[in-house]
Amino acid sequence: MNLRNQWPVLPIVAGLASGLLTGCGSENGDSGAGGSTVVMGMSDDVLATDPASGYDPGSWLLFNNVFQSLLSFPKGGTEPQPEAAKACAFSDAQTKVYKCTLRDGLKFSNGDELTSEDVKFSFDRMLKINDDAGPAIMFPMLGSVDTPDEKTVVFNLKVPDATFPSKIASGAGSIVDHRQYDEDGLREDGEAVGSGPYKLDSFGEDSAVFSVNPNYEGTAEVQNSGVTLKFFHGDQDKLKEAIVDKDIDIAYRGLQAGDIADIENDSGNEGIDVVEGTSAEVQHLVFNMDDPVAGKIGVRKAIAYLLDREALVDQVYEDTATPLYSIIPAGIAGHNTAFFDTYGARPSKAKAKAALEADGITDRVKLTLWSTPSRYGPATDDEFKAIAKQLNASGLFEATVQSVPFAQYEKDIEAGKYGVYVKGWVPDYPDADNFTAPFFGEGNVLGNNFTNSTITDTLIPGTAAQSDRGATDTDFGELQDIVAKEVPVLPIWQAKQYAVVRDNVYGLEYCLDASTVFRFWEINKG
């Protein structure tokens, strides 16, 4: 699976926190399309314009604005609500048959009518192409899609999955025009035909231009006349320069922690505001359970006892993240503080030493921490150097840091060459399932050789089948406690999400919530 773990520039949490805001929008889709064109810059690239391929934050930003899904996440909310559908529900007690009825008047941006045929085509096509860089990996439970009539879609699942509505509400549920896409191959012309609030007018190496889709029927109320998205290809300095010089209206996903602090504290930056939002993007230390050093429980527990998250967040990320004490982040139903409860908030050399001695380890532990700043941002190397310093200060470790390009990094993880390495996660949908099943279920995307039968055979399938998501808290709590006890991963931080905007730009607070959906339509430029 391709982790949606683009480097977070700041630890930007694109998570799934439960929000306090309520969704709003017109039921007739009348956009009004007032305001001016908004120019936004970001460091992430958009890797795909075809929803059967893209599985990265930049691509999903495009999908969420150009395409419709049957359901969507309202601003500030984590419960999927009807979007292209006017109603959806499980029609059986086993959560294996999910039925949606489409709203009236749906059309693609080119004027083609959107019917159930397009919905079925979109899912069948995604699964058939099964692109390595695509979201098909999210739907192993999907058996077939039926279309009893033009307005009705029925999803038949192989196994119960109460999180299915959240999955189809994500960018992975994007509906394409069956007349415009090849069922056997990806679209490679850089164009996109969807039924979302915006249409893609052009897509190039350095920018993408979006205008309001006059055919849109849905819940969004468009507050501008279009968006131009400029790509800075990881050049943080140029992105900062562009927002300070007012060449762009918004800087999103690309400024370092220090940049944010500089902009906030520099009185010369009048007319620029920093907007902070919630997020559930997380970062973990990952331990290869087959490694001769990291595979020892005493080593992993000792590191858990010595890690000072507060210092890392303060010194490396300048409080643009928060310490994370479990694999399910704060704001997600089911979150607990298993690592805090087990290992405490402050480092303990005595407990770390005892953990090593209980595993028969009395010499200093030689350890390499593997980093890849090309994926997680340049601060990742500094973070890992700080972690190594913390471990070495205890006198129990001789830790060093190695930094490698991402392509080599992934190959080496697959080959089992690393004992301790970094992984980040930008969730696909706001449910605890998305922070557990990918990491600890079948096909573990972390590549760390961890297995636990209680988790894989009981807790993950049991929580997936529970339609009352609040009733899963106990099982998710048990799962988190098992992970804290066995330490196949060590949670480090949960990010905050930021955008820097000119002071005549409004609505960004509705774009930076835990749903991971950046809503172009909420932005208003006065």
Side-chain angles (χ1 to χ4, degrees):
M1 174 182 183
N2 289 304
L3 297 182
R4 292 186 61 221
N5 56 1
Q6 295 293 80
W7 55 293
V9 236
L10 296 171
I12 23 185
V13 185
L16 324 160
S18 56
L20 301 177
L21 302 172
T22 57
C24 70
S26 108
E27 285 301 311
N28 60 17
D30 181 14
S31 70
S36 305
T37 297
V38 176
V39 181
M40 185 171 90
M42 70 176 187
S43 62
D44 286 328
D45 292 325
V46 172
L47 302 182
T49 60
D50 187 331
S53 177
Y55 197 26
D56 60 277
S59 297
W60 279 35
L61 181 147
L62 184 150
F63 300 160
N64 287 324
N65 289 283
V66 171
F67 298 94
Q68 272 184 301
S69 299
L70 291 167
L71 305 171
S72 65
F73 296 107
K75 55 186 178 184
T78 59
E79 290 294 325
Q81 302 296 323
E83 173 56 26
K86 65 180 180 182
C88 288
F90 282 104
S91 59
D92 68 325
Q94 290 75 40
T95 62
K96 291 179 65 176
V97 180
Y98 195 68
K99 180 180 177 180
C100 291
T101 304
L102 298 180
R103 66 168 66 234
D104 296 331
L106 292 174
K107 290 183 179 181
F108 290 100
S109 58
N110 63 356
D112 288 347
E113 185 179 3
L114 191 161
T115 70
S116 60
E117 180 181 2
D118 297 293
V119 179
K120 174 178 170 58
F121 173 84
S122 299
F123 282 90
D124 288 350
R125 173 179 181 265
M126 173 181 59
L127 294 176
K128 184 177 182 180
I129 292 174
N130 194 24
D131 187 66
D132 288 341
I137 187 70
M138 291 175 60
F139 297 99
M141 82 301 293
L142 182 54
S144 63
V145 184
D146 295 332
T147 54
D149 56 57
E150 288 190 347
K151 289 291 184 66
T152 307
V153 184
V154 180
F155 297 92
N156 303 295
L157 309 186
K158 301 174 186 176
V159 295
D161 186 359
T163 69
F164 187 74
S166 291
K167 292 171 182 172
I168 66 173
S170 73
S174 297
I175 303 168
V176 302
D177 186 341
H178 76 275
R179 306 162 193 83
Q180 298 292 324
Y181 288 80
D182 184 350
E183 66 178 346
D184 297 312
L186 295 173
R187 186 166 188 159
E188 298 179 352
D189 59 3
E191 297 185 5
V193 179
S195 58
Y198 293 83
K199 57 181 180 177
L200 181 64
D201 293 334
S202 65
F203 180 81
E205 177 68 19
D206 296 320
S207 67
V209 178
F210 304 83
S211 61
V212 177
N213 175 13
N215 294 323
Y216 171 68
E217 291 288 339
T219 61
E221 292 181 331
V222 180
Q223 303 295 319
N224 54 66
S225 57
V227 175
T228 296
L229 183 59
K230 292 188 175 182
F231 307 126
F232 286 78
H233 308 298
D235 193 329
Q236 298 166 301
D237 292 335
K238 285 188 177 180
L239 179 59
K240 178 183 178 182
E241 181 181 332
I243 187 66
V244 169
D245 292 346
K246 301 183 179 180
D247 293 331
I248 58 177
D249 300 309
I250 303 167
Y252 173 62
R253 288 193 66 89
L255 296 177
Q256 301 180 72
D259 294 332
I260 293 292
D262 289 345
I263 290 171
E264 285 187 307
N265 298 327
D266 188 346
S267 59
N269 290 324
E270 293 183 3
I272 300 177
D273 298 320
V274 175
V275 181
E276 179 181 324
T278 58
S279 173
E281 183 173 340
V282 299
Q283 191 184 88
H284 301 318
L285 274 180
V286 181
F287 299 103
N288 180 356
M289 305 296 277
D290 290 346
D291 184 78
V293 178
K296 295 182 178 181
I297 185 65
V299 171
R300 302 195 302 276
K301 286 186 174 182
I303 296 173
Y305 279 121
L306 294 173
L307 181 65
D308 189 343
R309 296 171 177 83
E310 294 280 359
L312 289 175
V313 166
D314 178 48
Q315 298 167 12
V316 179
Y317 290 105
E318 302 187 39
D319 295 320
T320 57
T322 57
L324 180 62
Y325 292 99
S326 193
I327 53 173
I328 299 172
I332 303 299
H335 162 77
N336 73 6
T337 54
F339 280 82
F340 181 96
D341 300 337
T342 305
Y343 302 101
R346 307 303 302 170
S348 173
K349 176 182 175 179
K351 292 180 179 179
K353 183 178 181 181
L356 291 171
E357 290 176 346
D359 207 9
I361 302 170
T362 55
D363 295 331
R364 287 192 180 188
V365 178
K366 294 183 178 181
L367 195 69
T368 300
L369 309 180
W370 293 91
S371 172
T372 178
S374 58
R375 190 66 161 187
Y376 302 111
T380 310
D381 283 355
D382 292 337
E383 174 190 349
F384 269 48
K385 289 175 183 176
I387 293 174
K389 185 176 181 180
Q390 291 177 3
L391 298 179
N392 294 341
S394 70
L396 302 173
F397 284 83
E398 292 182 14
T400 58
V401 176
Q402 290 288 332
S403 181
V404 296
F406 183 69
Q408 186 63 43
Y409 184 81
E410 289 290 277
K411 292 178 182 177
D412 288 347
I413 289 174
E414 187 175 357
K417 293 183 178 181
Y418 301 159
V420 187
Y421 49 97
V422 61
K423 282 287 186 178
W425 185 252
V426 180
D428 305 305
Y429 52 93
D431 192 281
D433 177 82
N434 198 227
F435 295 90
T436 52
F439 297 160
F440 311 110
E442 293 184 13
N444 173 345
V445 301
L446 297 175
N448 68 335
N449 305 299
F450 173 71
T451 58
N452 179 285
S453 59
T454 300
I455 292 177
T456 56
D457 298 344
T458 303
L459 296 176
I460 288 178
T463 53
Q466 178 55 257
S467 57
D468 179 0
R469 301 312 288 161
T472 63
D473 287 358
T474 298
D475 284 348
F476 278 125
E478 181 181 352
L479 192 158
Q480 290 167 93
D481 291 343
I482 291 173
V483 172
K485 179 180 178 180
E486 299 193 15
V487 206
V489 301
L490 183 59
I492 306 175
W493 52 251
Q494 173 176 346
K496 299 176 184 178
Q497 189 171 196
Y498 292 89
V500 179
V501 304
R502 295 175 63 179
D503 61 6
N504 64 335
V505 178
Y506 307 95
L508 266 295
E509 64 272 22
Y510 302 120
C511 304
L512 305 176
D513 62 29
S515 68
T516 77
V517 178
F518 192 96
R519 303 169 179 87
F520 282 172
W521 58 88
E522 294 288 352
I523 304 170
N524 182 14
K525 180 180 175 182

